[in-house]
Amino acid sequence: MLGAASAPSVLVLCSGTHGVEGFCGSGIQTGLLRDGITDHLPDDIRIVMIHALNPYGFSHVRRVNEDNVDLNRNFIDHNGAHPQNRAYDALYEAINPRADSRLRRELAFLRLFLERAIKGKRTLKVAITEGQYTHPTGLFFGGTSETWSNRTLRTISDRFLAAAKRVAFVDIHTGLGPFGHGELICRFPPESAAYKRMAAWWAERVIPADDSKSASNSLTGTTTISVSAMLPESEVTSVTLEFGTVGPISVLRAMQAENWLYHHGGVSEAKANLIKSRMHQVYYPDTDEWKRRVWEQGQLITGRAIEGLANEGSQAQSMQMAGDSS
Ligand SMILES: [Zn+2]
């Protein structure tokens, strides 16, 4: 935590929810620290940086955690019945093909292309990525209980955020959208106060998750929705910051190969290294151009969040003063 512990407004910057995506978020966090972000911080604002919320995935170049759980699908009520994803069930073999057989990989893709031709791109994307709770070794598995990282985020929230009047939570991801473009994905309805604040702070960069223009789509059990629910007394502006890397097919292929490697192995060391290095590249393109764009937008988005929190704070103060004097 940076800044005065008593500051009523908090900007939370979270990296590594999806392990391997943490290289990007960590870059922004360390860059801001090196740049002396605290030197210009208003007195009533503090910053909480969560570095590598899913440290296992980050360390092992996996998107998921130590339980093969996609942490950004894990924040649901695990006491009740888990959501069903019948479309995923029907496509299970195609979404999780044997990566050690080229023929099976290509047949699986053909199956997905056919599905896309029949049902449409968006419907297929939702089926694959929305989250599933019945295939523990499959992609996008949301788990059947709260993971360590889930409990850790709750602990951080209780310890560092619960007393705050205003919280801006930015969860940094990569792998969706155009190369080097940072989209702020809003998982709250456009008529909500949270969405209106986001639009005021970040303008056209904010896109509702279920809008066809968004690189994302509706998901179950995300960090951004859960942080808002964890802090019922605070004004929460909670958003996913997603940086595009390579095309969605390349990303899905890299995920499929890595998931197969993790659960089944059976490939040479050279092939395994290739699969891991591909996984790294699709979530963290090793080019100066991509890193420059990420860093510029990371600074801009962080700066606007701090300004937005400051404005909300001074508006609340003047309303209180007007109320006191009337
Ligand atoms: Zn992600």
Side-chain angles (χ1 to χ4, degrees):
M1 189 174 75
L2 310 155
S6 58
S9 299
V10 192
L11 169 62
V12 187
L13 296 173
C14 181
S15 69
T17 295
H18 282 144
V20 61
E21 299 172 25
F23 291 96
C24 170
S26 172
I28 293 173
Q29 289 172 321
T30 51
L32 291 170
L33 289 171
R34 279 188 196 152
D35 239 31
I37 189 167
T38 46
D39 299 347
H40 331 283
L41 207 56
D43 291 343
D44 60 345
I45 297 178
R46 58 196 160 97
I47 295 181
V48 170
M49 289 202 189
I50 306 172
H51 185 261
L53 180 60
N54 162 12
Y56 177 92
F58 197 178
S59 170
H60 291 262
V61 192
R62 300 210 76 205
R63 190 171 163 282
V64 291
N65 81 339
E66 59 278 15
D67 311 308
N68 201 54
V69 168
D70 181 330
L71 183 57
N72 217 26
R73 312 289 184 278
N74 183 245
F75 290 87
I76 59 165
D77 177 8
H78 293 284
N79 296 316
H82 285 83
Q84 299 286 324
N85 186 344
R86 302 269 184 235
Y88 182 103
D89 297 343
L91 290 168
Y92 177 78
E93 300 288 340
I95 298 169
N96 301 278
R98 291 189 62 131
D100 57 346
S101 155
R102 184 167 188 156
L103 178 66
R104 282 176 192 262
R105 285 202 310 266
E106 297 312 320
L107 283 173
F109 252 87
L110 196 60
R111 172 83 179 86
L112 295 181
F113 273 119
L114 273 174
E115 190 74 10
R116 180 182 144 144
I118 297 164
K119 305 259 176 74
K121 187 175 161 188
R122 192 90 185 160
T123 305
L124 175 64
K125 199 167 153 217
V126 172
I128 298 174
T129 65
E130 187 174 36
Q132 55 88 10
Y133 299 84
T134 43
H135 306 278
T137 60
L139 295 175
F140 304 102
F141 174 57
T144 50
S145 60
E146 285 184 1
T147 60
W148 178 89
S149 298
N150 181 328
R151 295 194 302 275
T152 300
L153 185 57
R154 285 176 202 282
T155 305
I156 292 169
S157 169
D158 290 347
R159 202 174 291 173
F160 296 101
L161 311 178
K165 284 203 173 93
R166 267 158 246 101
V167 176
F169 179 85
V170 181
D171 195 17
I172 306 167
H173 290 248
T174 60
L176 291 176
F179 184 84
H181 175 73
E183 175 185 327
L184 289 151
I185 302 165
C186 177
R187 304 202 179 277
F188 301 89
E191 60 277 11
S192 65
Y195 179 86
K196 285 176 184 153
R197 278 194 300 278
M198 289 179 208
W201 298 1
W202 297 305
E204 70 283 351
R205 272 182 195 278
V206 180
I207 304 183
D210 46 14
D211 189 301
S212 61
K213 289 202 286 290
S214 174
S216 186
N217 47 260
S218 61
L219 304 177
T220 48
T222 65
T223 54
T224 48
I225 296 280
S226 77
V227 163
S228 196
M230 283 175 210
L231 300 165
E233 305 296 322
S234 316
E235 182 185 279
V236 181
T237 311
S238 177
V239 76
T240 304
L241 171 55
E242 180 80 52
F243 287 101
T245 55
V246 294
I249 293 175
S250 302
V251 174
L252 182 60
R253 280 186 185 270
M255 287 172 71
Q256 288 174 328
E258 194 278 333
N259 196 51
W260 179 268
L261 174 71
Y262 180 82
H263 293 291
H264 305 282
V267 296
S268 67
E269 192 180 341
K271 174 86 177 152
N273 288 339
L274 202 67
I275 289 172
K276 285 310 256 193
S277 103
R278 188 70 195 132
M279 185 71 179
H280 190 190
Q281 283 165 22
V282 301
Y283 286 106
Y284 187 60
D286 192 14
T287 74
D288 290 344
E289 174 64 8
W290 189 82
K291 291 174 190 174
R292 183 186 60 76
R293 289 196 205 178
V294 163
W295 173 231
E296 283 175 5
Q297 292 169 89
Q299 285 174 294
L300 183 84
I301 288 162
T302 313
R304 295 245 175 103
I306 292 171
E307 274 171 38
L309 283 170
N311 288 341
E312 298 287 338
S314 52
Q315 271 173 28
Q317 213 170 24
S318 30
M319 275 168 71
Q320 170 141 26
M321 281 162 68
D324 288 350
S325 59
S326 63

